[in-house]
Amino acid sequence: METKICPKCGKEVHARFIINHNGENGREGEYKWVCDACDEVIDRLKIVIA
């Protein structure tokens, strides 16, 4: 998975995968790049699990 850099503090940010069982189609997932140091959300990628 791609590693990104936080624009706010300059530290490396890694992706977290979160599953949402109450989504529109029953199950959805989302990759979230969240900085551990400053809790800034850098990017998101939504995935629908069929």
Side-chain angles (χ1 to χ4, degrees):
M1 185 54 61
E2 180 183 354
T3 302
K4 299 185 180 208
I5 303 296
C6 178
K8 192 172 183 180
C9 68
K11 300 207 180 211
E12 278 192 1
V13 179
H14 301 282
R16 300 178 190 167
F17 187 70
I18 300 160
I19 295 176
N20 179 7
H21 293 282
N22 299 321
E24 296 173 8
N25 298 321
R27 292 182 295 177
E28 295 177 350
E30 182 179 47
Y31 278 105
K32 250 186 189 179
W33 283 265
V34 181
C35 181
D36 292 327
C38 66
D39 288 330
E40 183 79 13
V41 176
I42 308 305
D43 202 359
R44 295 176 183 197
L45 175 64
K46 185 176 178 180
I47 299 171
V48 176
I49 304 167

